[in-house]
Amino acid sequence: MNERHVGAPGQVKEVTSLANPLIKDIKALALKKFRDQQNAFMAEGLKLVIDALDLGWQIRTLVFAKAGRGNAAVEKVAARTVAAGGTVLEVSEKVLVAITRRDNPQMVVGVFTQRFLALRDIRADNGDVWVALDRVRDPGNLGTVIRTVDAVGAKGVILVGDTTDPFSVETVRATMGSIFAVPVAKATTEAFLAWRGGFSGLVAGTHLKGAVDYRSVDFSRGPVLLMMGNEQQGLPESLAASCDRLLRIPQAGRADSLNLAVATGIMLFEIRRGALKLEPIADQQ
Ligand code: SAM
């Protein structure tokens, strides 16, 4: 392993061996067990890493491809990583392919410390929208919901019960960077129900047996907690009973239900309808 300086005010380690222990630790982040042990996760792409740093996430390791050497943006991120106390690794294509398990990996990968919001720290003010996901299983669904929560300006996501990991590589990829912008809390069903008891706004559940058309509700008063059910089973009785309203999105055709992330998107855009305005598109020239 060589060490050298590349614009960053610190040392960059050059790594070409898959047997390097630092690389082994990063590869292990593909498994939840090791993500939990290390309290870390991986995000791919230069823009994502820059956004994460801008938003105050703690970077532990920056990995970049040899091709990034001399690239001003990469070197700037490397300098920020060293300044934040992180390690910078310049690696071969082979190592990057192994870390990301992709044939055409991004030039930059960041390893960050995981961050969860505590339920007790959620303060819901007027106009705030929170989404509670009951036992969400699919990483693509969770990532898409986090991305959509970001896009509509909702406040965050609460994972209820046994769920897929928001810091898995698949979920992080599906968030397209929104994992760094959207606070995520997790709770057992019991802890969530206790917290829900103190929630002062409208608790809107969605249910295939909901009696109320989601378009008929006034969401403009107070905070809103949107509750979405598990992909296979929907909301269990205990959660459904805790909702102020059970809403349904009308459907035509033969499909039994909508995909969880699609249903969440429809609900969020309806809830936030009054708050979202088209911004003029900036002149490209
Ligand atoms: N078989 C499940 C059931 O019986 O509820 C289907 C669950 S659906 C794939 C996942 C979640 O998306 C539901 O629990 C609900 O929160 C929401 N959802 C999907 N389609 C919906 C609709 N037409 N109206 C209201 N909520 C819907």
Side-chain angles (χ1 to χ4, degrees), residues 82-102:
V82 173
T87 302
V88 181
L89 305 178
E90 182 189 296
V91 303
S92 59
E93 173 86 4
K94 180 184 73 180
V95 170
L96 211 52
V97 166
I99 288 175
T100 58
R101 295 162 194 254
R102 288 197 149 186

Side-chain angles (χ1 to χ4, degrees), residues 205-216 219 226-228 246-252 255-270:
T206 56
H207 204 289
L208 300 185
K209 295 196 177 121
V212 181
D213 186 320
Y214 78 109
R215 296 165 299 187
S216 67
F219 294 107
L226 172 66
M227 222 190 276
M228 305 297 300
L246 283 181
L247 312 181
R248 182 151 43 107
I249 305 166
Q251 294 183 208
D256 289 337
S257 64
L258 295 165
N259 161 274
L260 167 65
V262 170
T264 309
I266 291 170
M267 290 304 303
L268 283 175
F269 274 90
E270 179 66 18

